[in-house]
Structures are given as structure tokens and as C-alpha cells.
Amino acid sequence: MTGVQTCALPILVRFYEAMVLMRSYDAKAIALQRTGQLGTYASMLGKEAVDAGIGFAMQPDDVLLPTYRDNGIQMLRGVTLREMLLYWGGDERGSDFAGPRRDFPVCITIASQCLHAVGVACAIKLRKQPRVAVCMIGDGATSKGDFYESINAAGGWKLPAVFFITNNQWAISVPRSLQSAAETLAQKAIAAGMPGVQVDGNDVVAVHQSMQDALARARRGDGPSVIEAVTYRLADHTTADDASRYRPPEEVAAAWKHEPLLRLRNYLSEAGVWDKAREEALLRRCNDEVQAAAQAYLDTPAPPPEQMFDHLYAAPAPAQAAQHTALIERVKIHGTDHAR
């Protein structure tokens, strides 16, 4: 495991425990969606090393700008499992998390969070704060103009930002080979005047070390960085997708042989700090925690339909105010089905 000599075994155990919780949560979220109790969900199966490596490297005061596949990082930063399930259940209260209040909500629009990250990092620099804006993007987002404009501005202004690319080989049904002729996605940083590093995204230690280096660089005032973690999306793009239509099964089978949990568990077992008993105990703890969070989510009374207007604008425009009034009147007449 790359760089393991710099990381003591206890922290590796913590990495592994967090990664197992992520996978347990992920499996439950998919089960809830399949039974009509959750909305469309984006699985993080295969991405656990990326999320653990980043989540353990960031400081509480840093600002995370996540995509829809970064629940693991959010989990490590204090967003509760119930809050994340509320989000995926279509409840806006899931974005009003009690944990990292300055972290951004999940971004669905591809690459737009790159622009937000530039604004956040610019504010951090103007205030002379020892904080960093961490922008999460997928491989497909690096083909968007938002990404290029953002790294250009961040490099030119020497902003405290890290642009982290999770290269899981597929932008929905478009393979990495058709997305860009660049040899690596990390090298796109060269034109923006910042370092770009490619790491093994299935190696939690490599991810953690590269993230620590990039965060330290930003805090010193040396500017932004781009990190590309090469991994593989083991699940469908979302629960609304069927990846078997475009991915050969032998490719997926090969990827499972290098998935991050198996890799780290084997290392810990060989090091003598993990065994079957500890594994079974961990699985029970994770299952209990996830089941309790799922029940808390299901027990949360659904919000009224007009909640969609509550956090849209600080001061609603006349058109939105009229729509809000019309919706309330419609609910009075026709009622609403609050069942999840």
C-alpha cells in the first residue's frame, strides 16, 4: 500500500471502520430507494477510499463543496446519516445539517461548484483565514468550461483551493477514453499554473497523503492544486441507471478485485491488527447505526409542499410569492399525500 510507512496502523483501522460504515449506509440507501422510501440515489460503492482519505485530512474550518457522490466525506465532517437520507428523500431539511455549517449543500449541476469554490477561496484569502475550499468533481466535470475557468482564476489569484477529481472511469455512460485526449486529468492543471497529481483512488493512504500535501500548500499561501484519484464506479451511475447496457461485465468484475475495502482489510489482516471477530463486530455496529438512522428518517414527519419556497430566495420575487400562495390554496382544496 503506497505511503503506508507514513501512516500508523491505528489510523488505518479508523480509515477502515469509516469505509465500512459508508458501505453499510450506501447499501441501506439503495434498499430504501428500491422499496419506494427514498428518491433517486447516487451510490458511492468503490469510492470509499477517496472519501475517507479526504474526510480525515480536512480541518473542521475548511469548506467542502460536494457533488452527489460525496456522502462519505460529509459523514466524516459531521453530517448525520439521517440528514443525508432526508436529502435523498427530497426533504430540504437534509441540507440544513447541524454539522459543518459553512460546507455547501450537494451540487447536482455538473461543475458549477467549481465556480462556487473560487468565490469561497477568494473570500478566505481576503479575510486572511487559514482555511481551504475543497471542491469535489467527477471526471466528466473536467470537460466543462466551468472547471477550466475556475482553475484558471484560482491559479491566477493564487487561491487556497483544492480541486479533487474522482476519476471513476465513467461519466454516466461515456467512458474516460472518449471524454478527453489528455493522458491524465491531473495534467489539466498545468495550463492553470498549479500542480496536478494523479493518485491511486483505491489506496486510502495515497489519497490522504496527497490531500494533506495540497491542503498544507494552500494554507501556506502557495495556491491551489488539482488531484486526480483513479478509481472505478462499481455501481450504476444512480438508481435510475442500468450500467449493464454500456459496461462490459468483465470490466466490472476486474474492478472488484481491486476495490478499496478488500485491499485495506487484507493489509490490516496481514499486519495482525484485524481478524474475523473484529470484522463481524464492526459490521454489527455499522448495521445498528445505519438501521437506527434509517428508522429516524422514516419517522420524521414529511414537510409541507410549500417548503420548497422557504430557502429559495431571501426575499421572494412577486412571481414566487404568487406561486407560494397558489400552492397553499391548492393543498387546502385537494390535500396532499405525504407518504414517502
Side-chain angles (χ1 to χ4, degrees), residues 34-165:
R34 296 306 193 203
T35 53
Q37 300 175 94
L38 202 68
T40 300
Y41 173 74
S43 173
M44 57 180 163
L45 187 65
K47 183 176 174 284
E48 297 89 352
V50 167
D51 286 23
I54 294 172
F56 279 101
M58 290 179 67
Q59 294 297 315
D61 285 343
D62 292 333
V63 180
L64 177 69
L65 296 98
T67 72
Y68 45 77
R69 213 180 302 280
D70 298 315
N71 279 181
I73 307 174
Q74 290 185 297
M75 185 188 305
L76 289 173
R77 290 187 56 72
V79 181
T80 68
L81 303 184
R82 171 182 168 273
E83 288 168 338
M84 290 190 291
L85 291 172
L86 283 172
Y87 168 80
W88 290 109
D91 192 326
E92 292 295 334
R93 291 172 294 184
S95 293
D96 186 24
F97 34 76
R101 296 296 295 173
R102 294 185 183 274
D103 280 7
F104 274 48
V106 169
C107 182
I108 299 295
T109 308
I110 303 300
S112 64
Q113 69 273 28
C114 299
L115 305 170
H116 306 156
V118 169
V120 170
C122 190
I124 290 172
K125 182 172 183 177
L126 289 173
R127 295 172 180 174
K128 296 181 172 56
Q129 297 172 330
R131 305 164 68 196
V132 182
V134 176
C135 180
M136 298 297 300
I137 52 177
D139 43 288
T142 66
S143 298
K144 294 288 295 291
D146 310 55
F147 170 73
Y148 289 105
E149 293 167 9
S150 297
I151 62 172
N152 184 67
W157 297 337
K158 214 171 183 179
L159 298 180
V162 177
F163 297 88
F164 196 102
I165 307 164

Side-chain angles (χ1 to χ4, degrees), residues 225-276:
S225 304
V226 169
I227 301 173
E228 174 194 3
V230 180
T231 181
Y232 193 86
R233 193 190 79 212
L234 293 172
D236 297 328
H237 175 69
T238 69
T239 50
D241 176 44
D242 178 6
S244 66
R245 295 176 301 168
Y246 54 82
R247 292 197 309 197
E250 57 271 17
E251 178 182 297
V252 181
W256 271 103
K257 296 178 181 178
H258 305 285
E259 64 97 351
L261 267 71
L262 174 63
R263 181 171 179 171
L264 183 53
R265 182 169 64 247
N266 286 344
Y267 179 84
L268 293 174
S269 297
E270 292 171 4
V273 297
W274 202 254
D275 54 30
K276 182 179 179 181

